[in-house]
Amino acid sequence: ILEELLTNFFSYADTNEVFMILKKHKAEEYELSIYHRGQYFSLNDEMQAPDCVDVEDLPIGGLGLFLVKSMCKSIKTAHKFELCVTKIII
């Protein structure tokens, strides 16, 4: 999850600094907060599941974020005080 998110932040958010905080949320859950000052992009919208069965038929782009969202209990993004904030419950 972390590798995919960081790859996207550094590739598409046009940032070279990311600040992260990981804390225990509940007994078996963790909250990961990621902050950066780059270009904001929302992960709040629903993503369509790929509609093909063969991996080689999948289009390039978007699959990694779809997998991240499907593995997280919650993922929210916001833009506050010139910071892009992503909060994830794992």
Side-chain angles (χ1 to χ4, degrees):
I1 292 173
L2 187 57
E3 179 184 2
E4 180 63 30
L5 287 172
L6 289 176
T7 297
N8 277 275
F9 289 138
F10 287 122
S11 297
Y12 303 110
D14 192 28
T15 187
N16 57 5
E17 293 181 323
V18 174
F19 179 71
M20 297 179 289
I21 298 172
L22 178 64
K23 64 182 181 180
K24 193 158 192 146
H25 183 67
K26 291 183 180 174
E28 295 184 16
E29 292 181 354
Y30 293 89
E31 179 182 274
L32 175 64
S33 300
I34 305 170
Y35 303 87
H36 67 86
R37 293 187 192 273
Q39 170 110 11
Y40 172 75
F41 58 92
S42 177
L43 299 174
N44 297 332
D45 299 332
E46 289 294 319
M47 298 180 108
Q48 293 285 51
D51 61 353
C52 56
V53 178
D54 192 355
V55 173
E56 293 185 15
D57 293 336
L58 290 172
I60 294 174
L63 181 60
L65 288 178
F66 172 78
L67 293 172
V68 165
K69 287 188 77 162
S70 67
M71 293 167 43
C72 297
K73 292 183 180 189
S74 170
I75 185 166
K76 302 287 183 205
T77 55
H79 190 245
K80 299 178 181 178
F81 308 110
E82 299 183 18
L83 279 176
C84 300
V85 182
T86 303
K87 293 208 178 243
I88 302 164
I89 305 295
I90 305 168

